[in-house]
Amino acid sequence: LASLAAAPPCHPWPCPNRYHAKQMIDGDVPSAKLTDIVEPWFLGAGADSDAGQVPGPPSSLPLCLPRHHPYATAHSHSAARSPAPTPTPTVTRLRSSAHSQEFAKFKDENEGINFLSSVDDMAQTSGKKLALISGRTADNPSLLKEVIAKGCTHIFLEKPGAPSVGELEEMAAYAEDKGVAVYMGYNKNVTKYVTLAREFEAKTPGAVTTFIHNNAYGTDELGECFERNSEGMLKNMAVHELALLVTYYGVTADTIESVVADKEYSNCLTIGDYTDFAKIGFTITTTAGKTVTVKADRCGGSNSLAIVEVDGVEKFRSMTPDAELEAWVAPRQAANPDWMPYFLLQHDDYVTLKERACAHIASGAPGAPEGLATIGEWWSRAGVVGVRIECARGWSHGDQ
């Protein structure tokens, strides 16, 4: 019963935004119905662009490699697959694309959805409407205000939310003043492998957990990755693990006792005009004596792990994908080799978060649904923690 905004395709198929749209169109999110898609590039200057040769609009990020073209777009989604006693909320989502012909086909196949070139073109709403924003990080502050001006009552904001803690704080204050709830979508908060590790840790005295996050970029793709995700690895890829620390391990700026960098594991590179980590590792100890380690590797493969140790000896390990998920993913990945593996690996988690958000809105319940933090909680805790880690981690590019 929610309206979501989804994004157009990545080349040759989905970027995260369009994958969100696909899930709603396919009926995977029963409490949601996609109503609008805002795509300023392919419904504007890029309408006649050639595949693979799309020069982004002046304000866009550089062109992504084949699997990740990122042009910011906005989509609106309304949920109502079956009659319900509660009002139907609506949603808007931002997305990126890079293949005009692919987008045109996508548009033609979905005649029941409003395809718009800007948020300004969206109809004013008087009911519950959720705007799902998954565009370029730098655009998020202005997009948030635009969808609120159109009457969106709720927002699902993808990580990291904004380029800086200050902007995130300002967005939180603006949304609160307008009475709009903003949820932050961090899918690992509801992932099976995390849940299993946390359950084992909770019943094991002296247990310490390490969260390992791997992506499948090739080393030749890192330049594009650094440029497109210029906010840096900690605010981009590793922010999912940071969310786990904040949500489940009591980590806040005030509770950090120490941050120890794993310099042997970490690898900081300068490619072109951008310096970032290809790999990053650090251990946080809180004032309550809780210790947790995070490791992230852009080129480590297509999996994530949680390893629980006692006195340095591994006692438990959980991983995604597990055998069951691999069996489900394998034929779909083979049929769609250009899709980034994490779309399929995290398919169920994406569905869970959207469904929880939309069902929560439709029910009229206060606060945030389980597993989703509000923007106010996120900026005041995780955002400031990120700054604290950046200042305390002890890395410098020169000594990597």
Side-chain angles (χ1 to χ4, degrees):
L1 295 171
S3 195
L4 260 125
C10 284
H11 171 61
W13 209 85
C15 287
N17 300 347
R18 182 172 169 187
Y19 199 77
H20 280 292
K22 172 177 166 56
Q23 289 185 324
M24 293 182 282
I25 291 170
D26 289 349
D28 294 335
V29 186
S31 293
K33 179 183 178 183
L34 183 63
T35 58
D36 305 277
I37 292 177
V38 179
E39 170 45 69
W41 180 239
F42 286 112
L43 293 177
D48 298 320
S49 58
D50 294 329
Q53 300 177 357
V54 184
S59 61
S60 76
L61 287 177
L63 186 65
C64 295
L65 292 175
R67 291 181 296 185
H68 318 278
H69 284 293
Y71 295 101
T73 65
H75 302 263
S76 161
H77 192 99
S78 81
R81 295 221 171 248
S82 58
T86 51
T88 297
T90 42
V91 182
T92 299
R93 172 177 182 88
L94 296 173
R95 174 78 169 116
S96 56
S97 289
H99 193 309
S100 60
Q101 295 176 350
E102 186 77 15
F103 179 75
K105 178 182 178 183
F106 174 66
K107 179 177 179 292
D108 291 342
E109 291 172 346
N110 293 281
E111 295 182 352
I113 298 172
N114 299 316
F115 284 80
L116 312 168
S117 62
S118 73
V119 176
D120 286 342
D121 294 334
M122 285 178 53
Q124 196 74 24
T125 183
S126 58
K128 294 182 179 180
K129 185 160 190 168
L130 169 67
L132 196 159
I133 300 177
S134 175
R136 296 174 300 173
T137 301
D139 294 335
N140 288 351
S142 61
L143 290 169
L144 177 137
K145 293 180 179 180
E146 290 177 21
V147 296
I148 289 177
K150 282 295 180 178
C152 290
T153 56
H154 298 75
I155 294 174
F156 186 112
L157 183 63
E158 287 219 0
K159 57 90 177 170
S164 69
V165 174
E167 287 169 290
L168 204 60
E169 179 181 7
E170 195 276 334
M171 292 164 69
Y174 184 87
E176 182 179 10
D177 180 64
K178 299 297 183 180
V180 174
V182 182
Y183 307 136
M184 302 295 297
Y186 286 93
N187 61 291
K188 288 195 174 183
N189 283 12
V190 299
T191 301
K192 178 182 176 182
Y193 84 99
V194 170
T195 301
L196 293 174
R198 289 181 51 241
E199 290 174 348
F200 184 89
E201 180 184 17
K203 64 184 181 183
T204 306
V208 176
T209 299
T210 296
F211 292 103
I212 302 173
H213 183 175
N214 294 316
N215 274 174
Y217 290 93
T219 55
D220 59 333
E221 296 178 298
L222 286 176
E224 181 274 332
C225 177
F226 285 10
E227 193 170 21
R228 178 165 45 86
N229 302 301
S230 59
E231 61 268 25
M233 183 187 249
L234 187 63
K235 295 179 183 177
N236 181 265
M237 179 179 173
V239 76
H240 291 281
E241 283 63 40
L242 184 57
L244 294 176
L245 271 55
V246 168
T247 304
Y248 299 122
Y249 290 86
V251 176
T252 70
D254 294 333
T255 63
I256 294 177
E257 179 68 28
S258 66
V259 180
V260 178
D262 187 341
K263 293 187 178 183
E264 183 177 351
Y265 177 87
S266 302
N267 183 22
C268 187
L269 303 173
T270 296
I271 303 176
D273 295 331
Y274 297 87
T275 297
D276 196 3
F277 288 93
K279 299 170 65 176
I280 192 172
F282 56 90
T283 298
I284 291 180
T285 299
T286 69
T287 52
K290 191 67 178 177
T291 297
V292 61
T293 294
V294 170
K295 294 183 177 181
D297 185 350
R298 292 282 193 191
C299 305
S302 299
N303 57 63
S304 291
L305 301 88
I307 300 173
V308 184
E309 299 178 329
V310 176
D311 296 329
V313 179
E314 182 176 324
K315 299 295 184 179
F316 179 84
R317 172 184 294 233
S318 56
M319 183 176 76
T320 188
D322 56 18
E324 181 181 359
L325 182 56
E326 282 186 329
W328 184 86
V329 167
R332 291 164 177 80
Q333 190 69 61
N336 302 280
D338 291 307
W339 294 17
M340 276 302 287
Y342 67 81
F343 290 128
L344 292 170
L345 293 173
Q346 299 173 12
H347 175 91
D348 288 350
D349 303 327
Y350 285 137
V351 168
T352 297
L353 288 178
K354 288 195 292 290
E355 175 58 21
R356 285 186 183 181
C358 293
H360 180 85
I361 294 168
S363 73
E370 181 185 358
L372 279 79
T374 66
I375 190 174
E377 295 169 336
W378 180 245
W379 88 257
S380 63
R381 298 175 66 192
V384 180
V385 167
V387 172
R388 176 75 182 273
I389 292 173
E390 290 281 0
C391 296
R393 63 188 183 181
W395 290 292
S396 67
H397 179 53
D399 64 10
Q400 288 302 314

